[in-house]
Amino acid sequence: MALLISVLEQGLIYGIMALGMYITYKILDFPDMTVDGCFPFGVVLAVVMIRAGVPPIMTLPICFFAGCFIGTLTGLINVVFKVRDLLAGIIMMTALYSVNLRIAGRANLPMYDYYNIFDNNLLNSLFEGPLSFLAGFQTVIVLLIITVVVKLVLDWYMSTKSGFMLRAVGDNDVLVTSMGINKGKVRIMGLAIANGLVALSGSIYAQQQGYFDVSMGTGTAVVGLASVIIGTSLLKKISFFKITTSVVIGSIIYKACVAIAIKCGLQSTDLKLITAVLFLIILIVTMDRKKKVKG
Amino acid sequence: MLELKNICKIYNPGSVNEMTLFDDFNLTVPDKQFVAVVGSNGSGKTSMLNVICGSILADRGEVIVNGNNINSQRDFERQRIIGRVYQDPSKGTCPSMNILENMSIADNKGKPFGLTRGVNKHQINRYKEMLSQLGLGLEDKLYTQVGSLSGGQRQALALLMSTMTPIQFLILDEHTAALDPKTADIIMELTEKVVREKELTTIMVTHNLRYAVEYGDRLIMMHQGKAIVDKDGADKKNINTEEIMKIFNEISVECGN
Ligand SMILES: Nc1ncnc2c1ncn2[C@@H]1O[C@H](COP(=O)(O)OP(=O)(O)O)[C@@H](O)[C@H]1O
Ligand SMILES: [Mg+2]
């Protein structure tokens, strides 16, 4: 049971990150490595802010917008300076490593003694009082609420005119130009929203884990891609799910696979190896190896 | 009015593949004229359209619209008053979105793409009416993904979408070439209807000499970056397909194809 809860928690947190990667990888066809730097960027910002006394709930929107800024930079490098997608992301990822260290001041920064979005007076009194039958599910319930809200907002955005342009730019950017819209701007906007979600996910992860570690980001992009690919292939079979729901479920499935691998005797130090092998298996099984062919 | 003045374009300058396509190319298209353009492969028809739309930049010369030089405008800025349909039916529509969503995007051209609803439900009947005029039964497929339509259906939709909002110019690049003859005829009829109804200044590149003779107010034949035939008014009306075919064969033989 504890394992199940832990899988759910991790899956939901990384699910928000995966929603961001869904925008870059599936919609924009942009394998965005920025994520490996942007996720811990969200973590460190949240930790530093909470240690400085910022209300935990406020760190979420702040990290989202900070992530948007990071995504905008990746987009500018790609669109304005015409650096190819993978390299633009790697440049940002590398730079962010140092930026994150700078913000933290050291490689590891804990915040165990601070209230956060999962552990504060309001929630604790609720879960000790009227909701006491749900004790033990506090974190997962908060996460469920946040993830559902994020998913609904993203769904709403995708149905707006601006969201239509985002979908169109990945589908057929010639049409975007025909509409008199700068396709470069739309791509940058997509990267901004995506990295906003990634940093948001990082800020939530920070509060669940209770610390920042500089190496936290390594492999995040791979986890995100794996979740997106599981989610989208899942959708082919069960079509009544919205794509955003599928991606979050993909993330939970992915985390479950990792948990099973560790249960089967692998060490947690093997985690990155598990991540890589699992990703490879997913790519082979879902046949998502080929790059999308675009007109 | 659309003017190309002294356009020069050299592809791959400085390399072994250097190729001078346009050397002082000039073209003036008065308002509401419907120009049909034919020419051998590689004669520069697509390049000319690309220069007009800003998809490629000329090395020298001016693109002038309604008296204003638009050289410094980028492709997406120029296309605010231009509708464009490509040879490839997939370029004019979004395959993973449905017909309704595609039409909603096209209907919003020229307005901001902000955070209001992408699909305006009040317009559905209007869209259906427009679709039913195509006579392809698309009005019953509003929620069908465009990617699953046939090439002809997509091209008809692309034509409709490119002319939904008030535009001044219509640029067509072999837009019937990928279609079977019957569908091509339908699309060509539609094109004529739209151009005349909306009084669009139109440049239509076509591979089909018959279309070039039957439709349009002016016929241009291009060869090696030059307009070697340019007939309008009564001259255009008196042209017959054989005559054009003869000239066309001569230039083709000259090229060795
Ligand atoms: N982007 C490009 N780079 C190099 N050469 C090009 C490019 N576009 C067109 N060309 C060359 O210019 C010539 C004219 O091409 P194009 O305008 O496509 O002709 P058409 O549409 O009349 O067939 C061709 O010889 C073609 O190879
Ligand atoms: Mg061509």
Side-chain angles (χ1 to χ4, degrees), chain A residues 16-17 19-21 23-24 32 189-199:
Chain A
I16 293 175
M17 184 269 297
L19 286 175
M21 292 219 71
I23 296 177
T24 44
D32 184 19
M189 197 183 64
L191 280 161
I193 297 172
N195 280 289
L197 291 173
V198 171

Side-chain angles (χ1 to χ4, degrees), chain B residues 66-135:
Chain B
N66 305 327
N68 303 315
N69 180 320
I70 58 163
N71 278 12
S72 61
Q73 284 187 14
R74 293 186 51 194
D75 52 1
F76 65 92
E77 294 171 297
R78 295 184 192 191
Q79 295 195 23
R80 285 178 190 149
I81 55 161
I82 299 177
R84 202 172 178 190
V85 183
Y86 299 81
Q87 176 173 351
D88 180 357
S90 66
K91 284 200 176 165
T93 47
C94 275
S96 76
M97 299 172 86
N98 63 35
I99 294 185
L100 181 57
E101 289 167 333
N102 269 278
M103 290 187 78
S104 305
I105 289 178
D107 198 19
N108 198 54
K109 178 169 174 171
K111 297 191 210 108
F113 283 84
L115 292 177
T116 52
R117 267 188 146 339
V119 172
N120 182 348
K121 293 237 155 62
H122 302 295
Q123 298 292 340
I124 291 183
N125 284 330
R126 194 179 126 237
Y127 297 162
K128 276 191 170 170
E129 208 166 286
M130 293 168 118
L131 288 167
S132 67
Q133 286 175 10
L134 301 176

Side-chain angles (χ1 to χ4, degrees), chain A residues 156-157 159-165 167-169 171-172 174-183 295, chain B residues 74-76 79-80 86 90-96 101 105-106 108-109 113-119:
Chain A
W156 163 79
Y157 174 73
S159 74
T160 65
K161 295 195 167 79
S162 177
F164 273 20
M165 274 296 112
R167 287 159 66 188
V169 85
D171 227 8
N172 175 13
V174 173
L175 182 77
V176 175
T177 307
S178 298
M179 290 302 123
I181 301 288
N182 185 345
K183 64 176 189 232
Chain B
R74 293 186 51 194
D75 52 1
F76 65 92
Q79 295 195 23
R80 285 178 190 149
Y86 299 81
S90 66
K91 284 200 176 165
T93 47
C94 275
S96 76
E101 289 167 333
I105 289 178
N108 198 54
K109 178 169 174 171
F113 283 84
L115 292 177
T116 52
R117 267 188 146 339
V119 172

Side-chain angles (χ1 to χ4, degrees), chain B residues 37 66 239:
Chain B
V37 181
N66 305 327
I239 292 178

Side-chain angles (χ1 to χ4, degrees), chain B:
Chain B
M1 185 149 88
L2 174 72
E3 296 165 89
L4 295 179
K5 274 195 186 157
N6 315 109
I7 297 291
C8 296
K9 177 71 197 174
I10 302 178
Y11 280 120
N12 308 316
S15 80
V16 284
N17 298 323
E18 179 171 305
M19 193 201 100
T20 305
L21 179 61
F22 296 125
D23 181 17
D24 199 27
F25 181 83
N26 292 283
L27 177 75
T28 302
V29 184
D31 279 341
K32 301 176 191 171
Q33 190 174 59
F34 182 177
V35 187
V37 181
V38 293
S40 47
N41 274 332
S43 58
K45 305 178 298 290
T46 299
S47 300
M48 175 182 76
L49 301 184
N50 283 338
V51 166
I52 295 171
C53 296
S55 316
I56 61 170
L57 292 179
D59 302 322
R60 253 183 327 112
E62 293 179 274
V63 183
I64 298 170
V65 168
N66 305 327
N68 303 315
N69 180 320
I70 58 163
N71 278 12
S72 61
Q73 284 187 14
R74 293 186 51 194
D75 52 1
F76 65 92
E77 294 171 297
R78 295 184 192 191
Q79 295 195 23
R80 285 178 190 149
I81 55 161
I82 299 177
R84 202 172 178 190
V85 183
Y86 299 81
Q87 176 173 351
D88 180 357
S90 66
K91 284 200 176 165
T93 47
C94 275
S96 76
M97 299 172 86
N98 63 35
I99 294 185
L100 181 57
E101 289 167 333
N102 269 278
M103 290 187 78
S104 305
I105 289 178
D107 198 19
N108 198 54
K109 178 169 174 171
K111 297 191 210 108
F113 283 84
L115 292 177
T116 52
R117 267 188 146 339
V119 172
N120 182 348
K121 293 237 155 62
H122 302 295
Q123 298 292 340
I124 291 183
N125 284 330
R126 194 179 126 237
Y127 297 162
K128 276 191 170 170
E129 208 166 286
M130 293 168 118
L131 288 167
S132 67
Q133 286 175 10
L134 301 176
L136 296 171
L138 292 179
E139 62 276 13
D140 303 322
K141 296 189 174 169
L142 277 185
Y143 297 96
T144 304
Q145 280 204 349
V146 170
S148 64
L149 300 179
S150 73
Q153 288 173 324
R154 286 182 75 167
Q155 201 66 321
L157 183 62
L159 182 64
L160 183 67
M161 283 169 60
S162 66
T163 53
M164 257 175 112
T165 48
I167 48 166
Q168 201 184 340
F169 301 97
L170 182 61
I171 302 282
L172 308 165
D173 191 357
E174 306 209 19
H175 71 306
T176 58
L179 311 175
D180 63 79
K182 191 162 163 283
T183 317
D185 283 347
I186 296 174
I187 300 290
M188 197 53 235
E189 273 303 317
L190 276 170
T191 308
E192 166 82 1
K193 194 166 150 235
V194 168
V195 168
R196 298 307 178 194
E197 249 169 34
K198 307 208 168 201
E199 304 190 311
L200 302 172
T201 309
T202 303
I203 303 181
M204 175 182 77
V205 168
T206 176
H207 62 298
N208 187 325
L209 296 179
R210 183 171 62 84
Y211 289 163
V213 170
E214 275 176 30
Y215 297 92
D217 316 313
R218 176 176 175 188
L219 189 152
I220 291 177
M221 185 182 292
M222 289 185 62
H223 182 52
Q224 297 181 340
K226 294 194 174 55
I228 55 162
V229 175
D230 186 349
K231 292 188 189 301
D232 59 0
D235 284 353
K236 161 73 169 74
K237 290 207 179 69
N238 295 330
I239 292 178
N240 60 47
T241 314
E242 287 80 53
E243 191 184 328
I244 283 296
M245 188 62 117
K246 203 169 137 256
I247 308 176
F248 189 77
N249 284 336
E250 275 164 22
I251 59 168
S252 301
V253 168
E254 190 186 307
C255 293
N257 58 10

Side-chain angles (χ1 to χ4, degrees), chain A residues 108-126:
Chain A
N108 190 297
L109 195 63
M111 57 157 191
Y112 296 114
D113 310 328
Y114 296 84
Y115 280 133
N116 58 47
I117 50 170
F118 304 110
D119 174 17
N120 53 49
N121 288 332
L122 176 69
L123 276 182
N124 293 345
S125 63
L126 268 178

Side-chain angles (χ1 to χ4, degrees), chain A residues 222-234:
Chain A
V222 170
V223 176
L225 289 181
S227 309
V228 170
I229 293 168
I230 296 175
T232 47
S233 6
L234 186 75

